[in-house]
């Protein structure tokens, strides 16, 4: 939630860099935007409710002269989206400016203390206490640097935070606890941000700040310290292999569409993950007492698919628990014999991180699958597999879902080998099918995109949809429904088809759209029964089925064909693609921006 950027440079025109970096962070929140930049030795703040373009688009960046600045794009938690609540926030004098991502839990107590000391706080945010606390400690005689550190020691909760101060405009200071901060080391320019993509066009040399660390950034050097005891921490510069084009639209109207089209590439790269990573990960799962997969949102749907694959392919019983429910469902039974497999595209989702931390406290092994090298989840994990989707900017997860499922597929086959549930030739045959999925997706997009557009144009004004599947396709149906509802604001429910008669069927009246995920697997005949039930109630049937499946096609008002054969266990990989396209084109047809759905953020770092 919220995106932060900071730039300090020997160059004196950083405003353009701050604003364009901020635009690359908008997927983290976009209800308000703001910057604080140096201007003739002062700090100038421009902020308001609205997107970066709306709030900052009018600034003539060629006429600004500062060499240090910070920026923020907001996803509101405390206080409505408004000018006064937009970041950066300043102290009473306007000499200290702070941008923050996270939640200061004891802000009411701190605010009361500061107001008693005569500070004037003007917003409803938790963040505003930080600059005032720094001001107060600075007034008591501490240097700004020391005051920043001491202020954070007094804050409870989470933060990725960056500050600039008028008395030391040669440096900016940032810190993190439970909210990400990455430092970029450029030539005569240093950056800090919530995410690498913010500064990727300028440098691929990064330092992942760890919880409890702060950094003093100057154009040509970085000093990292522990907040708690001021111990200096040695630098750990990594080189990122993502390139700046990966974080741009490359001619597509939206990131989401670009990312759907990139899926074959993302999948190929992920299927190349070395067995040196897959094998020990699978071995930890195999040796465990209980295995619990945990994740949120789309990653939760990948986890459900993982559970199905582990059970079917490797005959390994496991559970999948939504991470925000983990403390209430999964935790009590966990011991040091068990493992928790956390699945998170960003590696920063607070609910999923919390689940791993709690499980770790109980001694469980923590294994994670994430798309972001160096993300918080990697640091609490014993084994990590990094999927190879490249940066995903669209708020709706698409290519990262596909690569999560691919990774879980590789793990299932490795588990089958370890447990002897499939013989060598069966494993090789399934592996060949898996390796063919990138080509299959290419073919789905090439041959079925036009059909997805036509179906979206036909049904876009329908207020409600049911998505139904059986077995592994239930999770595909849930993912199709989530995609549709989150970007097109159309009510949609993903349900096990067999369960629909126990309630959801009462929604159905003539013309009510029901989407069936109908691969030719062992559930096929039973699913046809469900289609008949819906047809009997004059629902409009939209099916995603195998190629030339005349039976399903006859029963459907509209259908999308998936070319080629795929083992049932891997069917979510190609079958989800038309659902992503359908959601995308429905959102566009309804006039919404699919990259920035209202009330959502790419990375949800609050619990
Ligand atoms: O980064 P994560 O995979 O942990 O994120 C989990 C969810 O927040 C995420 O999948 C969310 O549901 C997306 N909006 C789905 O498109």
């Amino acid at each position: 939630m919220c995106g932060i950027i900071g730039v300090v440079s020997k160059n004196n025109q950083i405003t353009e860099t701050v604003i364009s970096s901020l635009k690359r962070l908008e997927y983290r929140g976009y209800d308000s935007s703001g910057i604080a930049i140096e201007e003739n030795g002062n700090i100038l703040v421009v902020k308001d409710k609205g997107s970066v373009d709306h709030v900052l688009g009018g600034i003539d960046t060629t006429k600004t002269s500062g060499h240090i600045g910070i920026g923020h794009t907001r996803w509101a938690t405390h206080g409505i989206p408004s000018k006064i609540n937009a970041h950066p926030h300043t102290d009473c004098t306007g000499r200290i400016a702070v941008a923050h991502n996270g939640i200061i839990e004891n802000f009411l107590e701190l605010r009361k203390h500061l107001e008693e000391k005569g500070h004037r706080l003007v917003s409803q945010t938790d963040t505003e206490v930080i600059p005032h606390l720094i001001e107060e400690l600075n007034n008591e005689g501490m240097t700004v640097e020391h005051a920043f550190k001491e202020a954070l020691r007094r804050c409870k909760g989470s933060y990725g935070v960056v500050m600039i101060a008028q008395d030391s405009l040669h440096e900016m200071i940032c810190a993190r606890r439970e909210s990400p901060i990455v430092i970029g080391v450029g030539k005569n320019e240093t950056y800090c941000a919530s995410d690498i993509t913010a500064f990727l066009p300028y440098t691929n040399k990064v330092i992942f700040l760890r919880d409890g660390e702060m950094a003093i950034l100057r154009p040509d050097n970085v000093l990292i310290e522990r907040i708690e005891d001021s111990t200096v921490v040695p630098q750990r510069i990594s080189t990122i292999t993502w390139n700046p084009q990966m974080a741009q639209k490359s001619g597509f109207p939206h990131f989401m569409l670009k990312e759907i089209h990139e899926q074959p590439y993302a999948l190929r790269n992920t299927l190349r993950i070395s067995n040196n990573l897959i094998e020990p990960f699978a071995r930890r799962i195999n040796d465990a007492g209980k295995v619990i997969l945990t994740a949120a949102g789309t990653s939760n749907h990948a986890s459900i698919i993982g559970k199905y694959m582990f059970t079917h392919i490797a005959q390994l019983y496991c559970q999948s628990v939504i991470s925000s429910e983990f403390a209430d469902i999964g935790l009590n039974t966990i011991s040091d014999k068990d493992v928790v497999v956390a699945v998170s595209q960003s590696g920063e989702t607070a609910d999923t991180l919390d689940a791993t931390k709690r499980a770790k406290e109980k001694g469980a092994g923590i294994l994670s699958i994430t798309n972001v090298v160096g993300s918080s989840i990697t640091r609490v994990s014993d084994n990590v597999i990094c999927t190879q989707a490249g940066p995903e900017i669209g708020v709706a997860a698409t290519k990262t879902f596909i690569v999560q499922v691919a990774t879980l597929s590789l793990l299932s086959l490795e588990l089958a080998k370890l447990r002897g549930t499939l013989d060598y030739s069966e494993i090789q045959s399934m592996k060949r099918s898996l390796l063919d999925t990138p080509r299959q997706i290419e073919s789905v997009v090439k041959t079925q995109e036009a059909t997805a557009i036509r179906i979206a144009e036909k049904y876009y004004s329908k207020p409600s949809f049911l998505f139904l599947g059986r077995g592994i396709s239930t999770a595909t149906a849930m993912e199709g429904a989530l995609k549709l509802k989150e970007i097109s604001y159309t009510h949609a429910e993903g349900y096990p088809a067999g369960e629909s008669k126990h309630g959801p069927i009462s929604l159905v009246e003539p013309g009510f759209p029901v989407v069936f995920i109908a691969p030719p697997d062992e559930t096929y005949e039973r699913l046809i029964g469900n289609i008949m039930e819906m047809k009997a109630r004059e629902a409009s049937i939209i099916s995603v089925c195998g190629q030339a499946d005349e039976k399903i096609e006859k029963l459907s008002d509209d259908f999308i064909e998936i070319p080629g054969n795929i083992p049932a266990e891997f069917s979510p990989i190609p079958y989800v693609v038309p659902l992503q396209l359908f959601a995308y084109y429905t959102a566009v047809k309804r006039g919404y921006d699919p990259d920035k759905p209202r009330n959502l953020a790419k990375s949800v770092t609050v619990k």
Side-chain angles (χ1 to χ4, degrees):
M1 257 71 221
C2 302
I4 292 180
I5 177 71
V7 181
V8 58
S9 176
K10 286 197 172 157
N11 164 10
N12 66 357
Q13 278 195 342
I14 47 77
T15 313
E16 173 60 32
T17 312
V18 172
I19 295 176
S20 51
S21 303
L22 206 50
K23 285 180 77 157
R24 285 185 284 277
L25 289 173
E26 271 195 306
Y27 68 86
R28 301 179 65 89
Y30 30 79
D31 60 48
S32 329
S33 324
I35 54 171
I37 46 165
E38 175 207 354
E39 194 59 32
N40 301 322
N42 295 318
I43 294 177
L44 170 74
V45 176
V46 183
K47 62 179 189 176
D48 211 337
K49 175 181 170 179
S51 67
V52 174
D53 272 345
H54 175 77
V55 177
L56 307 169
I59 297 176
D60 182 351
T61 53
T62 59
K63 297 214 171 99
T64 58
S65 60
H67 71 268
I68 188 165
I70 61 177
H72 187 272
T73 175
R74 182 168 186 243
W75 187 86
T77 53
H78 290 68
I80 56 163
S82 67
K83 180 170 181 145
I84 211 84
N85 288 334
H87 298 221
H89 288 282
T90 54
D91 66 330
C92 294
T93 65
R95 296 168 71 85
I96 294 166
V98 165
H100 165 231
N101 167 34
I103 292 179
I104 305 303
E105 288 164 5
N106 57 337
F107 83 101
L108 285 175
E109 194 183 312
L110 291 170
R111 186 175 177 128
K112 186 163 174 280
H113 163 76
L114 287 162
E115 284 173 342
E116 279 165 9
K117 294 259 177 187
H119 289 260
R120 231 172 27 85
L121 282 82
V122 293
S123 77
Q124 293 120 35
T125 66
D126 52 332
T127 302
E128 201 187 357
V129 297
I130 304 175
H132 287 273
L133 198 49
I134 297 170
E135 178 191 19
E136 180 62 27
L137 295 164
N138 189 221
N139 289 345
E140 286 172 12
M142 289 184 196
T143 62
V144 168
E145 236 172 77
H146 192 182
F148 176 86
K149 198 180 336 186
E150 184 53 33
L152 293 185
R153 287 178 185 150
R154 296 184 189 186
C155 288
K156 292 188 182 139
S158 61
Y159 50 78
V161 62
V162 58
M163 174 201 74
I164 56 172
Q166 198 163 309
D167 295 339
S168 52
L169 284 170
H170 57 293
E171 63 187 25
M172 63 185 173
I173 312 182
C174 61
R176 70 161 280 170
R177 183 159 77 203
E178 292 175 17
S179 294
I181 288 279
V182 191
I183 294 164
V185 183
K187 204 161 178 260
N188 296 326
E189 203 157 87
T190 308
Y191 318 84
C192 67
S194 309
D195 183 351
I196 302 160
T197 50
F199 54 67
L200 196 56
Y202 317 117
T203 186
N204 63 352
K205 303 267 181 291
V206 306
I207 301 171
F208 297 100
L209 210 59
R210 293 183 180 160
D211 274 351
E213 290 179 349
M214 64 178 255
I216 301 160
L217 309 178
R218 297 186 180 175
D220 49 9
N221 68 67
V222 175
L223 177 74
I224 304 178
E225 287 184 11
R226 302 265 333 142
I227 296 169
E228 198 184 337
D229 55 10
S230 303
T231 322
V232 174
V233 177
Q235 279 187 24
R236 319 156 292 248
I237 300 187
S238 320
T239 303
I240 295 298
T241 54
W242 293 357
N243 65 49
Q245 288 70 35
M246 286 173 156
Q248 277 153 30
K249 286 188 202 156
S250 314
F252 285 91
H254 296 103
F255 281 111
M256 184 178 173
L257 190 60
K258 173 190 172 234
E259 287 158 3
I260 293 172
H261 279 255
E262 270 172 4
Q263 294 185 115
Y265 178 74
L267 197 46
R268 271 189 193 102
N269 286 343
T270 300
L271 291 171
R272 284 190 195 113
I273 289 174
S274 162
N275 211 44
N276 292 338
L277 288 170
I278 301 287
E279 197 270 345
F281 199 113
R283 202 170 278 284
R284 288 291 305 271
I285 294 175
N286 194 38
D287 293 346
K290 282 190 294 298
V291 177
I292 302 183
L293 294 131
T294 193
T298 289
S299 300
N300 176 53
H301 299 152
S303 295
I304 296 171
I305 290 167
K307 173 180 81 170
Y308 181 94
M309 290 192 293
F310 288 3
T311 318
H312 268 242
I313 300 174
Q315 290 170 27
L316 181 134
Y317 179 76
C318 61
Q319 270 309 325
S320 161
V321 176
I322 288 182
S323 54
S324 56
E325 295 282 298
F326 186 88
D328 307 308
I329 298 176
L331 197 59
N332 279 352
T333 64
I334 292 244
S335 78
D336 57 1
K337 299 189 179 53
D338 304 329
V339 297
V340 168
V341 181
V343 183
S344 172
Q345 163 305 114
S346 61
E348 302 292 349
T349 298
D351 289 326
T352 309
L353 269 172
D354 185 58
T356 55
K357 286 179 187 163
R358 285 168 185 261
K360 201 178 174 87
E361 279 163 19
K362 292 248 186 172
I366 308 296
L367 315 179
S368 63
I369 299 173
T370 180
N371 195 46
V372 181
V373 181
S375 56
S376 300
I377 216 159
T378 62
R379 287 196 285 277
V380 290
S381 304
D382 306 315
N383 294 54
V384 176
I385 295 178
C386 275
T387 53
Q388 302 294 313
E392 187 176 69
I393 312 291
V395 166
T398 52
K399 61 177 178 170
T400 53
F401 172 75
I402 292 272
V403 296
Q404 287 168 349
V405 175
T407 305
L408 290 159
S409 309
L410 290 171
L411 284 167
S412 314
L413 292 179
E414 191 59 33
L415 281 166
K417 188 161 101 190
L418 291 172
R419 297 167 70 83
T421 53
L422 295 178
D423 64 29
Y424 178 79
S425 65
E426 287 169 319
I427 291 175
Q428 289 312 308
S429 154
M430 287 191 78
K431 203 155 208 166
R432 275 195 298 280
S433 301
L434 196 54
L435 291 173
D436 193 42
T437 51
R439 196 200 50 74
Q440 204 177 10
I441 292 186
E442 271 160 6
S443 151
V444 172
V445 174
K446 196 164 157 206
T447 61
Q448 304 300 314
E449 188 166 11
T451 312
I453 295 173
R454 186 184 56 71
I455 296 177
E457 282 173 353
K458 182 169 168 188
Y459 293 96
Y460 78 96
S461 59
K462 293 280 182 189
S464 186
F465 283 75
L466 263 181
F467 284 69
L468 301 178
R470 277 182 173 265
I472 200 164
S473 298
T474 302
T476 315
M478 288 162 75
E479 178 57 10
L482 177 64
K483 285 288 89 79
L484 185 67
K485 80 180 108 180
E486 69 176 332
I487 60 168
S488 79
Y489 317 147
T490 308
H491 170 252
E493 280 187 62
Y495 234 77
E499 184 70 7
S500 59
K501 59 183 173 294
H502 296 289
I505 200 165
S506 70
L507 290 169
V508 176
E509 55 188 6
F512 183 96
V514 186
V515 181
F516 282 93
I517 321 304
D521 61 15
E522 63 190 16
T523 68
Y524 183 81
E525 291 302 334
R526 282 175 284 151
L527 192 82
I528 291 209
N530 300 125
I531 298 180
M532 300 301 289
E533 286 162 11
M534 293 298 172
K535 248 188 115 54
R537 285 152 184 88
E538 296 180 56
S540 295
I541 311 292
I542 305 163
S543 301
V544 183
C545 57
Q547 192 166 24
D549 184 334
E550 287 178 12
K551 213 167 175 178
I552 298 273
E553 291 176 3
K554 265 198 194 118
L555 292 173
S556 307
D557 296 275
D558 295 279
F559 58 87
I560 296 184
E561 292 184 318
I562 303 299
N565 295 319
I566 181 92
E569 290 84 353
F570 304 148
S571 66
I573 296 177
Y575 277 70
V576 79
V577 177
L579 305 178
Q580 298 167 339
L581 288 166
F582 172 62
Y584 171 80
Y585 284 109
T586 303
V588 171
K589 185 78 190 157
R590 287 168 64 90
Y592 300 120
D593 177 353
D595 285 344
K596 292 180 195 161
R598 67 186 177 207
N599 305 334
L600 291 176
K602 183 73 183 161
S603 170
V604 184
T605 53
V606 290
K607 281 184 258 172

